């Protein structure tokens, strides 16, 4: 009995979700464009500054109406959600690996969905911008960010568009690690809702423009 498969009605919701996601991943590419948006961070630490990319992805999922549609895909060690955006399709990805290994999840998902590095957006924290500031950077170096470095290494490209979300830099270099891995202060938390909204607007506007074949510009 231990090796037999239970009837369909007895399959747990997690298993059904995994199978459903596997089926979705293997679907043919939809008629429009397909994009992947990855929120970089550390699993289990969603409230920290270093995982603000995950917070942006949560807001993006709510805006696209797929906040309840996350499903775990073991092949890329990540949670995935698929959403339509006009004629395009957006794949949302939350890696289940630590920040330094996020790139393995991102690269595997890109492979599964048949995407190039240029079709993969990275959303991550940025020490050199104050909290509340956003910038959409097109390619370039990792600038010391381990999650971005991992993605560049695993995708073998630095062409990914990146939404950099400012978290501010502490005055003393010895405080950087504690600052990055720490939670937002109560005062900072008040700034987060409008910040997440603006980050979502920026991402969606940029993806819509590119889906329509318009030139890709950094902001």
């Amino acid at each position: 009995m231990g090796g037999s498969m239970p009837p369909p009605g007895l399959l747990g919701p997690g298993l059904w979700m995994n199978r459903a996601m596997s089926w979705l991943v293997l679907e043919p590419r939809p008629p429009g464009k397909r994009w992947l948006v990855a929120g970089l961070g550390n699993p289990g630490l969603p409230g920290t500054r270093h995982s603000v990319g995950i917070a942006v992805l949560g807001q993006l999922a709510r805006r696209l109406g797929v906040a309840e549609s996350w499903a775990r895909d073991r092949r890329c060690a990540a949670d995935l959600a698929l959403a339509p955006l006009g004629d395009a399709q957006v794949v949302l990805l939350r890696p289940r690996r630590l920040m330094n290994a996020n790139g393995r999840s991102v690269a595997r998902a890109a492979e599964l969905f048949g995407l190039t590095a240029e079709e993969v957006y990275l959303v991550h924290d940025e020490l050199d911008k104050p909290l509340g500031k956003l910038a959409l950077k097109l390619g370039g170096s990792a600038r010391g960010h381990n999650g971005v470095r991992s993605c560049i290494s695993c995708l073998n490209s630095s062409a990914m568009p990146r939404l950099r979300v400012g978290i501010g830099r502490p005055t003393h270099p010895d405080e950087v690690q504690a600052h990055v891995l720490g939670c937002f202060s109560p005062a900072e938390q008040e700034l987060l809702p409008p910040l997440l909204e603006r980050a979502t607007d920026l991402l969606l506007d940029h993806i819509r423009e590119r889906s329509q074949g318009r030139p890709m510009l950094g902001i």
Side-chain angles (χ1 to χ4, degrees), residues 54-195:
I54 295 176
V56 172
L57 218 63
Q59 180 61 32
L60 183 58
R62 287 188 287 273
R63 182 80 68 83
L64 293 173
V66 294
E68 305 301 322
S69 301
W70 292 103
R72 184 173 184 178
D73 191 288
R74 297 181 183 277
R75 292 167 299 177
C76 53
D79 296 323
L80 298 174
L82 276 62
L85 183 65
D87 292 332
Q89 183 186 62
V90 180
V91 180
L92 307 183
L93 181 141
R94 298 185 307 206
R96 283 180 169 263
R97 293 185 169 100
L98 293 176
M99 178 68 89
N100 292 9
N102 272 190
R104 292 165 57 194
S105 294
V106 175
R108 180 63 174 137
E111 179 185 9
L112 289 170
F113 284 96
L115 300 176
T116 65
E118 291 84 356
E119 296 167 324
V120 175
Y121 283 78
L122 307 179
V123 186
H124 62 88
D125 57 304
E126 174 60 62
L127 272 169
D128 292 326
K129 290 189 177 299
L131 183 67
K133 296 295 184 181
L134 300 167
L136 195 56
K137 175 181 171 64
L138 305 179
S141 69
R143 296 169 59 92
H145 193 287
N146 290 330
V148 176
R149 181 181 293 114
S150 174
C151 291
I152 291 174
S153 174
C154 293
L155 285 163
N156 196 30
S157 174
S158 61
M160 298 77 71
R162 302 156 211 179
L163 179 60
R164 300 183 293 163
V165 183
I167 61 170
R169 181 183 288 274
T171 55
H172 200 284
D174 292 343
E175 299 172 349
V176 168
Q177 184 173 356
H179 175 77
V180 167
L181 298 179
C183 293
F184 289 105
S185 68
E188 290 174 327
Q189 289 177 17
E190 293 182 5
L191 301 175
L192 281 179
L195 173 63

Side-chain angles (χ1 to χ4, degrees), residues 22-36:
S22 296
W23 179 78
L24 286 170
V25 166
L26 297 175
E27 275 190 328
R29 179 187 287 268
K33 288 290 295 181
R34 177 183 274 167
W35 312 95
L36 188 149

